[in-house]
Amino acid sequence: MSTWENKGFPYDELRPGQKEISDLVKDAVEKNSIAIINAPTGFGKTAAVIKGIIESKAEKVLWLVRTVNEIDPIIRELKRFNLDYSFLFSAKRTCPLFKNQNDNAISSEDFWENCRLARIKGLCNYYTKSIEIDNKEIWEVIEKMETFSSIEQANAIANKIKSCPFFSLAELSKDTRFIIATYPYYFKDEIFERVLDFLDLEKSVVVVDEAHSLMNAHSILETSITLRDIEQSLSEIKEYGYSNTEIEKIISNLYNTAKDLKPKLDNAVRRVEKEKFNESLNYVDIISDVAEEIRDKKFQKFYNLNYSIKVYLTHLLSWLLSLKNDYSYLFVSTEDSIYRLISTPLDPSEVVNKPLQKVKSAILISGTIPPGDFVGEMLNINKERVFFDAEIMLGIKGRIGKSLTIVSGDVSTLYKTRGESMYKRISYYLNQIGKLEGIKLFVYPSYELMDKISKGLSNQFNYINEGKNTSLEEVINQASKNDGLIINAVAGGKITEGIEITDNGRSKIKVITIIGIPYPQRDAYLTAHEEILSKRLGLSKTKYYLYKVAAYVRIKQALGRAIRFPDDKGVYFLLDYRYLYGEIKKLLRLKYNKVTKNIDEFNKVMPEVVNFLKD
Ligand code: SF4
């Protein structure tokens, strides 16, 4: 139970829709049901949900977010409400002992094994302190801080009271009313059991932020290994004295099986029978023992605080164990010229159904909740559900900011229309749009089309092309130096799902252009996904969710990047004639201010767009 009292709603007044949301949440919690809330960014959803939860007198709230950065806005609101909280995310990022392990060179399995050994061997004083310290002392450190940054607050625990941030916050979670955590803390059984097992789910409320992501919840459990990792495991075994032993034979057999499954072509993905590795699964205990022995030897040989101890066998074991799940499937991929073996579930309900079904109440929030009964159908949850949709319930009052939408009806990325002349025409439009003020986000259906079309952009512009490894920080950094930057990004990627560039309560991204309709591309992975889901939902409903709804969510997510605050203005260009009819038009529910049929008409519209942005 919370030991710190709240001081009520921290704003002067409730905005339109906030009372409805908080009443709906209170009601859902009291009736043990699920509330689904669809409202745009800037609407005040978080404050309204917190208000409803407080009024419902729920004892414990687990607030789930996708990324560390998404923890901070929740901390900001909870601080405004004067509510107590704790938060949980990757210990690897805040561990003060292995500071230099905060990189991608070391897997989370390796990190946890190193942490475990350091604790067992009494090498971590931060851990010792975290066992001795009182939760009040930890809370005092973070309560006093003005920053909302979870990383800074975690670091302060290490710097000011020399306690392990992760274990301190995990302990603090037992006392606070609110716990903010990234998705895996709830949806990955082994992590939940290790850290949050104390939660009485029948009395707890779970809030899922950006709940549209649950459509892809299966990716939370995805785990992959490369052929190179298996080779390294073999070298490691030999180096640490296990040549000509049973373990060498086991891993050699596994290596040969993996090698035989490699696709012949580059950039190919293929589903394979995971049963091929059944033989290896008989030996997981031996693999686990040897991995532990090797780590122990490495610790004795190399241990110092700057050395990232990596045991390849540990990761191999965790990948192998993932194949044991009844609902996991195995794919082999040579994308990006790396041969990977990917184990993943395909049905999101396998990951989220049980956790959301057994909790007292779940509150799902997003600006792009998939249409239809995605909770009942896609997630297979049969709890009672209540729904709030800002636009349906409040009409124009439910919208945030002002927008202008222009559809170009003379272009498309439909397969049969593709070719140099079509790319040139699209580039022509992009070059006109590129002259508008503010940061412009151009969203392409695939990397391939981004390469082909963005080649035609004029050299007079400053632009950045999203690559598979481009980070949000890199793009934000470039945008901070250039107010007119063009960001070329791929629909459904990190940028279109997560970028926010703001200054003084206004979004600096003013124009969003969607090139084509970003339906997911059909590959072996999507085909298998379709096959598995259609057993439960039937083929037409499966296709509806996997293609139409997925494209809808991608488009809405991208469009949402321009309007973050009530005073924002955004211009949307939809460059494809398919926006003019059919399911996508119905799903988007956008008012089209102008439809152009040729270059002349398009050029005539541009002065209006310039004025709209200036007004
Ligand atoms: S106990 Fe905490 S500080 Fe110590 S190694 Fe583990 S994560 Fe790092």
Side-chain angles (χ1 to χ4, degrees), residues 96-372:
L97 189 72
F98 298 121
K99 279 201 193 86
N100 295 338
Q101 291 196 353
N102 301 345
D103 52 42
N104 294 330
I106 189 155
S107 68
S108 61
E109 297 99 341
D110 271 315
F111 172 80
W112 278 115
E113 283 302 302
N114 292 343
C115 163
R116 189 177 62 81
L117 267 192
R119 279 181 279 140
I120 292 172
K121 290 176 184 282
L123 296 167
C124 184
N125 294 334
Y126 293 99
Y127 179 67
T128 316
K129 183 72 189 259
S130 70
I131 299 174
E132 295 163 354
I133 203 163
D134 192 274
N135 278 347
K136 281 250 174 198
E137 232 182 295
I138 301 160
W139 174 246
E140 271 166 27
V141 173
I142 58 175
E143 188 195 22
K144 281 187 193 134
M145 295 183 76
E146 283 186 10
T147 175
F148 308 126
S149 158
S150 50
I151 293 189
E152 285 177 32
Q153 293 190 6
N155 288 340
I157 295 172
N159 297 335
K160 291 188 180 160
I161 48 175
K162 307 284 174 231
S163 185
C164 164
F166 180 80
F167 283 101
S168 301
L169 288 163
E171 203 49 38
L172 182 65
S173 300
K174 293 178 183 163
D175 279 352
T176 57
R177 190 170 181 186
F178 284 79
I179 306 165
I180 316 160
T182 45
Y183 283 6
Y185 282 90
Y186 193 49
F187 295 125
K188 263 189 167 176
D189 286 349
E190 70 272 20
I191 302 186
F192 178 80
E193 280 159 19
R194 210 185 307 152
V195 186
L196 291 173
D197 204 23
F198 63 86
L199 278 181
D200 181 350
L201 291 177
E202 285 176 10
K203 290 186 181 158
S204 304
V205 175
V206 168
V207 181
V208 185
D209 230 335
E210 303 294 352
H212 61 276
S213 308
L214 296 182
M215 295 256 296
N216 298 314
H218 47 286
S219 64
I220 297 171
L221 299 191
E222 180 180 309
T223 155
S224 69
I225 193 161
T226 65
L227 194 66
R228 180 92 187 109
D229 291 333
I230 309 176
E231 280 166 2
Q232 303 268 34
S233 299
L234 270 173
S235 312
E236 195 171 60
I237 285 167
K238 287 177 192 153
E239 192 187 333
Y240 282 84
Y242 297 89
S243 292
N244 303 317
T245 61
E246 193 178 9
I247 186 76
E248 191 190 9
K249 212 169 121 203
I250 295 165
I251 305 301
S252 294
N253 286 342
L254 188 148
Y255 174 76
N256 290 332
T257 310
K259 209 168 150 211
D260 289 347
L261 293 171
K262 185 177 176 183
K264 302 264 176 299
L265 300 173
D266 245 5
N267 280 322
V269 185
R270 193 157 58 84
R271 183 172 150 198
V272 294
E273 288 172 11
K274 65 174 183 176
E275 289 71 21
K276 301 257 184 215
F277 291 95
N278 276 356
E279 173 70 14
S280 309
L281 278 168
N282 291 329
Y283 301 109
V284 287
D285 289 343
I286 299 176
I287 300 173
S288 167
D289 289 348
V290 175
E292 204 164 318
E293 283 167 21
I294 293 178
R295 187 173 304 274
D296 213 32
K297 287 179 186 169
K298 285 197 178 186
F299 239 75
Q300 285 168 25
K301 194 168 162 192
F302 297 115
Y303 180 78
N304 79 54
L305 302 181
N306 292 323
Y307 187 76
S308 301
I309 292 171
K310 183 167 181 158
V311 176
Y312 288 93
L313 220 44
T314 303
H315 182 56
L316 191 150
L317 176 68
S318 125
W319 171 80
L320 203 51
L321 287 172
S322 74
L323 297 179
K324 270 190 156 180
N325 288 334
D326 290 343
Y327 47 76
S328 71
Y329 296 86
L330 183 60
F331 293 83
V332 286
S333 157
T334 49
E335 281 180 324
D336 306 322
S337 306
I338 298 172
Y339 174 33
R340 287 190 186 83
L341 295 106
I342 303 158
S343 156
T344 179
L346 288 169
D347 185 341
S349 76
E350 300 284 7
V351 181
V352 301
N353 171 285
K354 277 196 201 126
L356 292 182
Q357 194 80 46
K358 66 185 169 196
V359 74
K360 174 179 167 62
S361 172
I363 317 294
L364 311 187
I365 324 175
S366 170
T368 53
I369 286 280

Side-chain angles (χ1 to χ4, degrees), residues 440-554:
K440 276 97 24 193
L441 179 63
F442 293 170
V443 182
Y444 302 81
S446 66
Y447 285 103
E448 189 196 341
L449 282 174
M450 180 168 85
D451 287 346
K452 286 184 170 149
I453 297 169
S454 66
K455 264 195 321 211
L457 282 178
S458 158
N459 291 336
Q460 77 181 78
F461 300 129
N462 281 311
Y463 56 86
I464 177 169
N465 281 18
E466 178 180 20
K468 287 193 176 151
N469 298 318
T470 308
S471 70
L472 277 181
E473 288 70 27
E474 252 175 279
V475 182
I476 292 169
N477 185 28
Q478 289 244 19
S480 69
K481 294 179 206 145
N482 189 330
D483 277 350
L485 185 73
I486 291 174
I487 303 167
N488 290 311
V490 171
K494 263 192 286 243
I495 292 178
T496 60
E497 290 269 325
I499 200 158
E500 184 172 87
I501 305 174
T502 61
D503 184 29
N504 256 332
R506 294 292 286 267
S507 173
K508 289 175 78 178
I509 303 178
K510 305 281 184 202
V511 180
I512 313 284
T513 303
I514 315 277
I515 296 120
I517 297 186
Y519 291 117
Q521 280 177 305
R522 205 156 196 277
D523 55 14
Y525 178 74
L526 203 59
T527 310
H529 204 166
E530 197 179 294
E531 185 195 319
I532 302 305
L533 272 182
S534 60
K535 284 186 194 150
R536 194 163 61 73
L537 297 176
L539 190 59
S540 86
K541 200 144 263 176
T542 298
K543 285 193 163 178
Y544 171 72
Y545 281 113
L546 290 188
Y547 296 93
K548 300 224 164 84
V549 172
Y552 157 81
V553 169
R554 288 174 171 188

